[in-house]
Amino acid sequence: MNQAVILSAGESSRFWPLNYQHKSLQKIMGKPLIWYTIEGLRRSKVKEVIVVQSQKRDVERELEKYKFPNLKLKYVIQKEPKGMGNGLWQARELLKGRFLVLNAERVDVEEIVKSLQNQKQNLKTKSILFGQKTKNPQLYGIAKIKGDRILEIVEKPEKGKEPSDIRVVGVYFLEPRFFEIYQKVKKHMYDFEEALSIYMKKNDVKIVILKREEKDTPSLKYPWHLFEVEKYLFNKFLKEKIEKTAEISKKAIIQGKVYIGENTKIFEGAIIKGPCYIGKDCIVGNYSLIREYVNLEDKVLIGAYAEIVRSIFQENVHCHSGYFGDSIIGEGCRFGAGTITANVRIDRGEIKPIVKGKKVNSGLTHLGVIIGKNTKTGIHCSFMPGKLIGSNCIIGPRSVVFENVPDNTVFFTEFKQIST
Protein backbone atom coordinates (compact mmCIF):
# COMPACT_ATOMS: atom_id res chain seq x y z
CA MET A 1 0.00 0.00 0.00
CA ASN A 2 1.96 3.00 -1.28
CA GLN A 3 -0.59 5.81 -1.57
CA ALA A 4 -3.36 7.31 0.53
CA VAL A 5 -5.82 10.14 -0.10
CA ILE A 6 -6.84 12.28 2.87
CA LEU A 7 -10.03 14.30 2.47
CA SER A 8 -9.87 17.63 4.33
CA ALA A 9 -11.85 20.10 2.22
CA GLY A 10 -15.39 19.80 3.62
CA GLU A 11 -17.06 22.70 5.38
CA SER A 12 -18.19 20.46 8.29
CA SER A 13 -21.42 22.36 8.97
CA ARG A 14 -22.46 19.85 11.67
CA PHE A 15 -19.22 20.65 13.48
CA TRP A 16 -20.21 24.27 14.18
CA PRO A 17 -19.11 26.28 16.17
CA LEU A 18 -15.65 24.70 15.79
CA ASN A 19 -15.70 24.75 11.98
CA TYR A 20 -13.95 28.15 11.77
CA GLN A 21 -11.16 25.97 10.37
CA HIS A 22 -11.21 22.42 9.05
CA LYS A 23 -12.16 20.16 11.93
CA SER A 24 -8.95 18.13 11.55
CA LEU A 25 -7.00 21.24 12.60
CA GLN A 26 -8.35 21.12 16.15
CA LYS A 27 -5.38 20.37 18.39
CA ILE A 28 -4.90 17.69 21.02
CA MET A 29 -1.57 17.47 22.87
CA GLY A 30 -0.05 20.24 20.76
CA LYS A 31 -0.74 18.77 17.32
CA PRO A 32 -3.69 18.95 14.91
CA LEU A 33 -5.72 15.79 14.43
CA ILE A 34 -4.58 15.46 10.82
CA TRP A 35 -0.99 15.15 12.09
CA TYR A 36 -1.94 11.95 13.96
CA THR A 37 -3.63 10.62 10.82
CA ILE A 38 -0.60 11.27 8.60
CA GLU A 39 1.82 9.96 11.22
CA GLY A 40 -0.28 6.79 11.48
CA LEU A 41 -0.05 6.33 7.73
CA ARG A 42 3.72 6.92 7.83
CA ARG A 43 4.16 4.28 10.53
CA SER A 44 2.08 1.94 8.37
CA LYS A 45 4.71 2.29 5.60
CA VAL A 46 2.55 4.38 3.28
CA LYS A 47 4.97 6.26 1.02
CA GLU A 48 2.82 9.08 -0.35
CA VAL A 49 -0.17 10.99 1.00
CA ILE A 50 -2.31 13.22 -1.20
CA VAL A 51 -4.20 15.81 0.86
CA VAL A 52 -7.39 17.21 -0.67
CA GLN A 53 -7.95 20.65 0.83
CA SER A 54 -10.14 23.71 0.24
CA GLN A 55 -9.04 26.90 -1.47
CA LYS A 56 -8.20 28.37 1.95
CA ARG A 57 -5.15 26.07 2.08
CA ASP A 58 -5.29 26.21 5.89
CA VAL A 59 -4.44 22.51 6.12
CA GLU A 60 -1.31 22.95 4.00
CA ARG A 61 -0.15 25.96 6.03
CA GLU A 62 -0.52 24.05 9.28
CA LEU A 63 1.26 20.93 8.01
CA GLU A 64 4.25 22.98 6.83
CA LYS A 65 5.27 23.12 10.51
CA TYR A 66 5.86 19.36 10.72
CA LYS A 67 8.14 16.77 9.15
CA PHE A 68 7.17 13.23 8.17
CA PRO A 69 10.33 11.24 7.38
CA ASN A 70 10.15 8.85 4.40
CA LEU A 71 6.73 10.14 3.41
CA LYS A 72 5.81 12.50 0.55
CA LEU A 73 2.99 14.97 0.99
CA LYS A 74 1.16 16.35 -2.04
CA TYR A 75 -1.77 18.75 -2.11
CA VAL A 76 -4.73 19.21 -4.45
CA ILE A 77 -7.59 21.71 -4.23
CA GLN A 78 -11.31 21.01 -4.11
CA LYS A 79 -12.73 24.36 -5.22
CA GLU A 80 -16.20 23.80 -3.78
CA PRO A 81 -17.45 21.44 -1.04
CA LYS A 82 -19.25 19.06 -3.40
CA GLY A 83 -18.85 15.91 -1.38
CA MET A 84 -16.43 13.04 -0.92
CA GLY A 85 -16.57 11.83 -4.51
CA ASN A 86 -15.69 15.21 -5.97
CA GLY A 87 -12.84 15.57 -3.48
CA LEU A 88 -11.42 12.17 -4.40
CA TRP A 89 -11.78 12.99 -8.12
CA GLN A 90 -9.31 15.89 -7.69
CA ALA A 91 -6.58 13.38 -6.75
CA ARG A 92 -7.22 10.83 -9.52
CA GLU A 93 -4.32 11.88 -11.80
CA LEU A 94 -1.79 11.36 -8.99
CA LEU A 95 -2.89 7.80 -8.21
CA LYS A 96 -0.81 4.98 -9.69
CA GLY A 97 -2.33 1.86 -8.18
CA ARG A 98 -4.52 0.76 -5.30
CA PHE A 99 -4.95 3.47 -2.68
CA LEU A 100 -6.45 4.17 0.72
CA VAL A 101 -9.15 6.85 1.14
CA LEU A 102 -9.98 8.33 4.53
CA ASN A 103 -11.05 11.47 6.31
CA ALA A 104 -8.42 13.74 7.80
CA GLU A 105 -9.47 13.12 11.41
CA ARG A 106 -9.09 9.31 11.20
CA VAL A 107 -6.51 9.27 14.01
CA ASP A 108 -6.80 5.50 14.48
CA VAL A 109 -5.73 4.70 10.91
CA GLU A 110 -2.59 2.85 12.02
CA GLU A 111 -4.68 0.27 13.87
CA ILE A 112 -7.06 -0.01 10.92
CA VAL A 113 -4.24 -0.65 8.44
CA LYS A 114 -2.69 -3.20 10.82
CA SER A 115 -5.95 -5.15 10.82
CA LEU A 116 -5.61 -5.38 7.04
CA GLN A 117 -1.92 -6.27 7.09
CA ASN A 118 -2.59 -9.05 9.62
CA GLN A 119 -4.93 -10.71 7.11
CA LYS A 120 -2.50 -11.21 4.27
CA GLN A 121 -5.05 -12.91 2.06
CA ASN A 122 -6.91 -9.60 1.84
CA LEU A 123 -3.87 -7.70 0.57
CA LYS A 124 -4.44 -9.23 -2.86
CA THR A 125 -8.08 -8.10 -2.95
CA LYS A 126 -8.54 -5.09 -5.19
CA SER A 127 -11.04 -3.27 -2.97
CA ILE A 128 -11.73 -3.46 0.76
CA LEU A 129 -14.01 -1.62 3.18
CA PHE A 130 -13.68 -1.59 6.95
CA GLY A 131 -16.50 -2.27 9.37
CA GLN A 132 -17.22 -2.06 13.09
CA LYS A 133 -19.94 -3.62 15.21
CA THR A 134 -22.47 -1.06 16.44
CA LYS A 135 -25.32 -0.99 18.93
CA ASN A 136 -26.95 1.93 17.07
CA PRO A 137 -27.29 0.93 13.40
CA GLN A 138 -29.94 3.63 12.81
CA LEU A 139 -27.18 6.25 12.98
CA TYR A 140 -24.83 4.83 10.33
CA GLY A 141 -24.35 3.28 6.94
CA ILE A 142 -24.82 -0.45 7.61
CA ALA A 143 -23.18 -3.23 5.59
CA LYS A 144 -25.13 -6.01 3.90
CA ILE A 145 -22.69 -8.91 4.06
CA LYS A 146 -22.34 -12.36 2.54
CA GLY A 147 -19.39 -14.20 4.05
CA ASP A 148 -16.48 -11.75 3.91
CA ARG A 149 -17.97 -9.86 0.98
CA ILE A 150 -19.89 -6.59 1.29
CA LEU A 151 -22.84 -6.39 -1.10
CA GLU A 152 -24.46 -3.10 -0.20
CA ILE A 153 -24.46 -0.19 2.23
CA VAL A 154 -27.86 0.70 3.70
CA GLU A 155 -27.89 4.24 5.05
CA LYS A 156 -29.49 4.69 8.49
CA PRO A 157 -31.86 1.68 8.29
CA GLU A 158 -35.12 1.64 10.23
CA LYS A 159 -35.14 -0.32 13.45
CA GLY A 160 -35.76 -3.99 12.68
CA LYS A 161 -34.71 -3.65 9.04
CA GLU A 162 -30.95 -3.60 9.57
CA PRO A 163 -29.06 -5.91 7.17
CA SER A 164 -26.44 -6.48 9.92
CA ASP A 165 -24.94 -4.87 13.01
CA ILE A 166 -21.80 -3.79 11.11
CA ARG A 167 -21.39 -0.11 10.32
CA VAL A 168 -19.01 1.11 7.64
CA VAL A 169 -16.16 2.96 9.33
CA GLY A 170 -15.31 5.31 6.44
CA VAL A 171 -11.91 3.99 5.36
CA TYR A 172 -11.73 2.56 1.85
CA PHE A 173 -9.06 0.60 -0.05
CA LEU A 174 -9.84 1.12 -3.73
CA GLU A 175 -8.39 0.72 -7.21
CA PRO A 176 -8.22 3.39 -9.97
CA ARG A 177 -10.92 1.52 -11.94
CA PHE A 178 -13.42 2.92 -9.39
CA PHE A 179 -13.19 6.25 -11.23
CA GLU A 180 -14.63 4.67 -14.41
CA ILE A 181 -17.88 4.09 -12.53
CA TYR A 182 -17.77 7.36 -10.62
CA GLN A 183 -17.42 9.30 -13.86
CA LYS A 184 -20.75 7.90 -15.12
CA VAL A 185 -23.00 8.58 -12.09
CA LYS A 186 -25.02 11.76 -11.76
CA LYS A 187 -23.06 14.26 -9.66
CA HIS A 188 -24.46 15.18 -6.24
CA MET A 189 -23.29 15.41 -2.63
CA TYR A 190 -23.46 11.62 -2.12
CA ASP A 191 -22.31 10.47 -5.56
CA PHE A 192 -19.35 8.63 -3.98
CA GLU A 193 -21.71 6.33 -2.11
CA GLU A 194 -23.80 5.80 -5.25
CA ALA A 195 -20.73 4.93 -7.34
CA LEU A 196 -19.46 2.63 -4.59
CA SER A 197 -22.78 0.75 -4.51
CA ILE A 198 -22.57 0.16 -8.27
CA TYR A 199 -18.93 -0.87 -7.95
CA MET A 200 -19.75 -3.40 -5.22
CA LYS A 201 -22.41 -5.05 -7.40
CA LYS A 202 -19.92 -5.53 -10.24
CA ASN A 203 -16.81 -6.44 -8.24
CA ASP A 204 -15.69 -8.64 -5.36
CA VAL A 205 -15.35 -6.17 -2.47
CA LYS A 206 -14.24 -7.57 0.91
CA ILE A 207 -15.04 -6.20 4.34
CA VAL A 208 -12.56 -6.30 7.22
CA ILE A 209 -14.35 -6.08 10.57
CA LEU A 210 -12.35 -4.30 13.26
CA LYS A 211 -12.16 -6.43 16.41
CA ARG A 212 -12.56 -3.77 19.08
CA GLU A 213 -15.20 -1.92 21.03
CA GLU A 214 -17.23 0.74 19.24
CA LYS A 215 -16.04 3.36 21.73
CA ASP A 216 -12.46 2.63 20.60
CA THR A 217 -13.26 3.72 17.03
CA PRO A 218 -13.50 7.50 17.39
CA SER A 219 -15.39 9.50 14.77
CA LEU A 220 -15.82 13.26 14.43
CA LYS A 221 -19.29 14.12 13.15
CA TYR A 222 -20.42 16.56 15.86
CA PRO A 223 -18.18 18.84 17.96
CA TRP A 224 -18.67 16.88 21.20
CA HIS A 225 -17.14 13.84 19.46
CA LEU A 226 -13.82 15.60 20.01
CA PHE A 227 -13.97 14.22 23.57
CA GLU A 228 -13.85 10.65 22.20
CA VAL A 229 -10.88 11.49 19.99
CA GLU A 230 -9.10 13.17 22.91
CA LYS A 231 -9.55 10.09 25.12
CA TYR A 232 -8.27 7.81 22.37
CA LEU A 233 -5.16 9.96 21.84
CA PHE A 234 -4.52 10.45 25.58
CA ASN A 235 -4.75 6.72 26.25
CA LYS A 236 -2.40 5.96 23.37
CA PHE A 237 0.13 8.81 23.33
CA LEU A 238 0.06 10.97 26.49
CA LYS A 239 3.49 11.16 28.16
CA GLU A 240 4.00 11.68 31.87
CA LYS A 241 6.58 14.46 31.81
CA ILE A 242 7.35 17.92 33.18
CA GLU A 243 9.63 19.91 30.89
CA LYS A 244 12.77 21.35 32.50
CA THR A 245 11.81 24.98 31.92
CA ALA A 246 8.40 24.60 33.58
CA GLU A 247 8.08 26.34 36.97
CA ILE A 248 6.11 24.26 39.46
CA SER A 249 5.45 25.59 42.96
CA LYS A 250 6.46 23.23 45.73
CA LYS A 251 2.98 23.83 47.16
CA ALA A 252 1.26 22.60 43.99
CA ILE A 253 -0.04 19.00 43.80
CA ILE A 254 0.36 16.91 40.64
CA GLN A 255 -1.09 13.40 40.53
CA GLY A 256 -1.44 10.78 37.80
CA LYS A 257 -0.34 10.97 34.19
CA VAL A 258 0.35 14.65 33.48
CA TYR A 259 2.38 16.44 30.81
CA ILE A 260 3.46 20.03 31.48
CA GLY A 261 5.13 21.97 28.66
CA GLU A 262 8.03 24.42 28.42
CA ASN A 263 7.90 27.69 30.36
CA THR A 264 4.55 26.85 31.93
CA LYS A 265 3.95 28.10 35.49
CA ILE A 266 1.92 26.25 38.11
CA PHE A 267 1.24 28.48 41.12
CA GLU A 268 0.88 27.69 44.84
CA GLY A 269 -2.08 25.56 45.86
CA ALA A 270 -2.93 24.42 42.31
CA ILE A 271 -3.99 20.78 41.96
CA ILE A 272 -3.63 18.81 38.72
CA LYS A 273 -5.03 15.28 38.53
CA GLY A 274 -4.30 13.34 35.37
CA PRO A 275 -4.65 12.33 32.74
CA CYS A 276 -3.99 15.94 31.69
CA TYR A 277 -1.99 17.76 29.04
CA ILE A 278 -0.82 21.34 29.61
CA GLY A 279 1.10 22.94 26.75
CA LYS A 280 3.90 25.49 26.76
CA ASP A 281 3.74 29.08 28.07
CA CYS A 282 0.62 28.35 30.14
CA ILE A 283 -0.28 29.66 33.60
CA VAL A 284 -2.32 27.77 36.20
CA GLY A 285 -3.24 30.12 39.03
CA ASN A 286 -3.41 29.70 42.77
CA TYR A 287 -5.76 27.05 44.15
CA SER A 288 -7.14 26.05 40.75
CA LEU A 289 -8.17 22.43 40.13
CA ILE A 290 -7.55 20.73 36.77
CA ARG A 291 -8.67 17.11 36.51
CA GLU A 292 -9.61 14.15 34.29
CA TYR A 293 -8.84 14.37 30.58
CA VAL A 294 -8.15 18.08 30.41
CA ASN A 295 -6.27 19.33 27.34
CA LEU A 296 -4.86 22.88 27.54
CA GLU A 297 -3.02 24.03 24.43
CA ASP A 298 -0.20 26.62 24.39
CA LYS A 299 -0.58 30.02 26.09
CA VAL A 300 -3.70 29.10 28.08
CA LEU A 301 -4.19 31.05 31.31
CA ILE A 302 -6.27 29.55 34.12
CA GLY A 303 -6.84 32.11 36.85
CA ALA A 304 -6.99 31.52 40.59
CA TYR A 305 -9.81 29.44 42.07
CA ALA A 306 -10.96 27.95 38.75
CA GLU A 307 -11.99 24.33 38.19
CA ILE A 308 -11.52 22.68 34.79
CA VAL A 309 -12.74 19.12 34.33
CA ARG A 310 -12.85 16.90 31.20
CA SER A 311 -12.45 19.91 28.92
CA ILE A 312 -10.47 20.97 25.86
CA PHE A 313 -9.06 24.49 25.50
CA GLN A 314 -7.43 25.49 22.24
CA GLU A 315 -4.54 27.99 22.14
CA ASN A 316 -4.50 31.33 23.95
CA VAL A 317 -7.69 30.91 26.01
CA HIS A 318 -7.84 32.94 29.24
CA CYS A 319 -10.27 32.41 32.12
CA HIS A 320 -10.47 33.60 35.73
CA SER A 321 -12.32 31.98 38.62
CA GLY A 322 -15.22 29.76 37.63
CA TYR A 323 -16.17 26.25 36.51
CA PHE A 324 -15.68 24.63 33.10
CA GLY A 325 -16.97 21.07 32.89
CA ASP A 326 -17.10 18.84 29.79
CA SER A 327 -16.58 21.90 27.58
CA ILE A 328 -14.64 22.72 24.40
CA ILE A 329 -13.29 26.24 23.93
CA GLY A 330 -11.92 27.56 20.64
CA GLU A 331 -8.72 29.57 20.34
CA GLY A 332 -8.43 33.12 21.65
CA CYS A 333 -11.51 33.13 23.93
CA ARG A 334 -11.63 35.28 27.08
CA PHE A 335 -13.83 34.65 30.12
CA GLY A 336 -14.66 37.04 32.94
CA ALA A 337 -14.45 35.97 36.57
CA GLY A 338 -17.25 33.76 37.82
CA THR A 339 -18.05 32.06 34.51
CA ILE A 340 -19.99 28.83 35.04
CA THR A 341 -20.73 26.09 32.52
CA ALA A 342 -23.53 23.77 33.63
CA ASN A 343 -22.73 20.28 32.36
CA VAL A 344 -25.58 18.15 33.78
CA ARG A 345 -29.35 18.50 33.45
CA ILE A 346 -31.38 18.85 36.64
CA ASP A 347 -33.12 15.56 35.83
CA ARG A 348 -29.77 13.94 34.92
CA GLY A 349 -31.17 13.04 31.49
CA GLU A 350 -29.44 12.91 28.10
CA ILE A 351 -28.29 16.28 26.77
CA LYS A 352 -29.56 17.04 23.26
CA PRO A 353 -27.83 19.99 21.59
CA ILE A 354 -29.51 21.90 18.76
CA VAL A 355 -27.58 21.41 15.50
CA LYS A 356 -28.82 23.09 12.29
CA GLY A 357 -32.17 23.71 13.96
CA LYS A 358 -32.78 20.15 15.18
CA LYS A 359 -32.24 18.36 18.48
CA VAL A 360 -29.49 15.77 18.24
CA ASN A 361 -29.06 12.82 20.60
CA SER A 362 -25.57 13.24 22.03
CA GLY A 363 -25.66 10.05 24.10
CA LEU A 364 -24.13 12.14 26.90
CA THR A 365 -25.41 13.00 30.35
CA HIS A 366 -22.42 15.30 30.92
CA LEU A 367 -21.88 18.06 28.36
CA GLY A 368 -21.05 21.69 29.00
CA VAL A 369 -20.62 24.50 26.49
CA ILE A 370 -18.87 24.43 23.10
CA ILE A 371 -17.56 27.79 21.88
CA GLY A 372 -15.90 28.96 18.66
CA LYS A 373 -12.88 31.27 18.51
CA ASN A 374 -12.32 34.77 19.93
CA THR A 375 -15.54 34.93 21.95
CA LYS A 376 -15.53 37.02 25.14
CA THR A 377 -17.73 37.01 28.23
CA GLY A 378 -18.23 39.52 31.00
CA ILE A 379 -18.21 38.55 34.67
CA HIS A 380 -20.65 36.06 36.20
CA CYS A 381 -21.93 34.50 32.97
CA SER A 382 -23.62 31.10 33.01
CA PHE A 383 -24.20 28.57 30.23
CA MET A 384 -26.81 25.81 30.29
CA PRO A 385 -25.76 22.24 29.31
CA GLY A 386 -25.05 21.49 25.67
CA LYS A 387 -25.23 25.05 24.34
CA LEU A 388 -23.23 26.00 21.25
CA ILE A 389 -21.77 29.52 21.06
CA GLY A 390 -20.32 30.93 17.86
CA SER A 391 -17.05 32.71 17.11
CA ASN A 392 -16.40 36.42 17.71
CA CYS A 393 -19.32 36.81 20.14
CA ILE A 394 -19.65 39.03 23.18
CA ILE A 395 -21.67 37.66 26.10
CA GLY A 396 -22.55 40.48 28.48
CA PRO A 397 -22.04 40.43 32.28
CA ARG A 398 -24.49 38.37 34.36
CA SER A 399 -25.95 36.76 31.24
CA VAL A 400 -27.53 33.31 31.49
CA VAL A 401 -27.39 31.50 28.14
CA PHE A 402 -30.29 29.09 27.52
CA GLU A 403 -30.00 28.89 23.70
CA ASN A 404 -27.32 28.64 21.03
CA VAL A 405 -25.69 31.96 20.09
CA PRO A 406 -24.77 32.52 16.39
CA ASP A 407 -21.36 33.78 15.22
CA ASN A 408 -20.61 37.51 15.57
CA THR A 409 -23.42 38.12 18.08
CA VAL A 410 -23.58 40.53 21.02
CA PHE A 411 -25.72 38.77 23.64
CA PHE A 412 -27.06 40.22 26.89
CA THR A 413 -29.64 38.73 29.22
CA GLU A 414 -32.15 41.40 30.09
CA PHE A 415 -32.46 42.01 33.80
CA LYS A 416 -34.00 44.62 36.05
CA GLN A 417 -32.21 46.24 38.95
CA ILE A 418 -34.06 45.66 42.20
CA SER A 419 -34.13 48.73 44.42
CA THR A 420 -33.83 48.38 48.19
Side-chain angles (χ1 to χ4, degrees):
M1 188 186 306
N2 290 321
Q3 290 182 299
V5 179
I6 289 180
L7 302 172
S8 62
E11 58 185 1
S12 308
S13 59
R14 290 176 297 194
F15 206 66
W16 182 83
L18 301 179
N19 64 345
Y20 53 83
Q21 58 185 356
H22 192 268
K23 59 185 177 182
S24 69
L25 296 180
Q26 291 290 317
K27 289 185 176 179
I28 299 293
M29 294 187 293
K31 292 184 173 65
L33 301 184
I34 192 171
W35 181 91
Y36 293 99
T37 303
I38 294 173
E39 180 62 13
L41 289 168
R42 187 189 71 83
R43 288 195 298 264
S44 301
K45 309 301 182 184
V46 173
K47 301 300 181 186
E48 183 176 271
V49 171
I50 301 158
V51 179
V52 182
Q53 61 177 335
S54 71
Q55 294 190 94
K56 293 192 297 184
R57 294 180 180 266
D58 51 352
V59 173
E60 185 175 356
R61 284 194 299 273
E62 179 63 32
L63 289 176
E64 284 175 353
K65 302 172 186 176
Y66 307 100
K67 293 182 179 180
F68 300 95
N70 304 314
L71 184 143
K72 273 188 183 178
L73 273 182
K74 294 182 179 179
Y75 298 92
V76 295
I77 301 294
Q78 185 181 15
K79 292 182 179 179
E80 297 178 54
K82 292 184 176 180
M84 183 175 176
N86 181 266
L88 180 58
W89 181 257
Q90 311 311 314
R92 71 194 184 283
E93 294 181 0
L94 298 175
L95 296 168
K96 298 172 181 140
R98 291 182 299 166
F99 56 91
L100 204 64
V101 184
L102 66 160
N103 288 325
E105 65 279 3
R106 193 80 260 173
V107 298
D108 59 343
V109 66
E110 184 180 10
E111 292 183 28
I112 291 174
V113 173
K114 273 183 182 176
S115 68
L116 174 60
Q117 293 169 339
N118 289 338
Q119 300 179 39
K120 293 183 180 180
Q121 70 275 15
N122 283 324
L123 291 174
K124 296 179 181 179
T125 305
K126 290 183 178 179
S127 297
I128 296 169
L129 275 63
F130 296 85
Q132 166 75 57
K133 279 195 173 185
T134 180
K135 295 177 182 177
N136 301 291
Q138 293 76 36
L139 301 178
Y140 303 103
I142 301 300
K144 184 177 180 181
I145 300 169
K146 184 177 181 181
D148 62 350
R149 185 182 172 194
I150 179 167
L151 306 176
E152 186 182 355
I153 300 173
V154 179
E155 287 293 333
K156 298 178 181 177
E158 293 180 23
K159 195 167 185 178
K161 296 184 178 181
E162 309 91 343
S164 72
D165 61 351
I166 303 297
R167 69 177 174 99
V168 176
V169 168
V171 180
Y172 311 87
F173 189 39
L174 299 175
E175 59 168 333
R177 202 156 57 92
F178 169 80
F179 292 110
E180 296 174 13
I181 292 175
Y182 176 77
Q183 194 171 13
K184 295 175 183 177
V185 302
K186 185 178 179 180
K187 299 300 176 280
H188 55 90
M189 189 60 69
Y190 299 103
D191 53 19
F192 173 84
E193 289 82 355
E194 183 179 340
L196 188 60
S197 293
I198 296 170
Y199 180 86
M200 286 189 294
K201 289 173 183 176
K202 295 183 176 182
N203 296 275
D204 183 23
V205 180
K206 304 291 187 184
I207 185 164
V208 173
I209 299 173
L210 305 177
K211 294 180 178 179
R212 52 180 168 166
E213 295 292 325
E214 188 172 13
K215 63 182 176 61
D216 296 326
T217 306
S219 60
L220 204 61
K221 183 176 181 180
Y222 295 108
W224 54 88
H225 290 160
L226 193 58
F227 292 123
E228 298 174 9
V229 177
E230 178 208 30
K231 284 185 178 180
Y232 176 86
L233 292 175
F234 268 36
N235 293 340
K236 192 172 179 65
F237 297 116
L238 180 62
K239 296 179 180 178
E240 186 174 343
K241 183 179 182 182
I242 298 174
E243 297 291 351
K244 291 180 180 179
T245 55
E247 298 180 26
I248 314 295
S249 168
K250 292 180 180 179
K251 295 183 180 180
I253 297 173
I254 299 174
Q255 298 176 341
K257 200 171 188 180
V258 175
Y259 174 87
I260 298 176
E262 296 174 356
N263 302 313
T264 284
K265 298 178 181 179
I266 311 295
F267 284 34
E268 293 83 358
I271 300 174
I272 302 171
K273 295 186 175 184
C276 291
Y277 172 92
I278 302 175
K280 64 183 180 182
D281 300 313
C282 295
I283 293 176
V284 178
N286 301 81
Y287 303 103
S288 285
L289 172 60
I290 297 174
R291 61 184 176 91
E292 298 174 37
Y293 289 99
V294 168
N295 183 92
L296 305 181
E297 291 297 324
D298 297 345
K299 299 180 181 178
V300 167
L301 185 153
I302 306 298
Y305 299 99
E307 181 176 0
I308 319 291
V309 56
R310 297 184 301 273
S311 292
I312 299 168
F313 285 23
Q314 293 297 306
E315 295 173 337
N316 198 28
V317 173
H318 293 192
C319 71
H320 296 280
S321 61
Y323 176 79
F324 293 83
D326 302 281
S327 296
I328 304 173
I329 312 299
E331 62 187 55
C333 289
R334 298 287 186 271
F335 297 95
T339 298
I340 301 293
T341 67
N343 59 336
V344 179
R345 287 168 50 114
I346 292 176
D347 63 3
R348 300 307 190 257
E350 180 184 357
I351 297 167
K352 300 179 181 180
I354 304 292
V355 178
K356 300 176 76 171
K358 295 182 179 179
K359 281 187 179 181
V360 175
N361 294 333
S362 70
L364 302 173
T365 55
H366 289 70
L367 179 61
V369 69
I370 300 176
I371 302 180
K373 68 175 181 178
N374 298 328
T375 283
K376 299 175 176 64
T377 77
I379 61 171
H380 298 297
C381 291
S382 301
F383 298 87
M384 293 298 104
K387 300 311 163 195
L388 310 178
I389 313 300
S391 296
N392 306 308
C393 295
I394 294 177
I395 311 296
R398 292 179 59 184
S399 291
V400 181
V401 181
F402 285 91
E403 304 293 340
N404 291 352
V405 178
D407 294 334
N408 307 305
T409 298
V410 177
F411 178 95
F412 282 80
T413 297
E414 292 183 10
F415 63 89
K416 294 180 180 179
Q417 184 172 352
I418 300 174
S419 57
T420 57

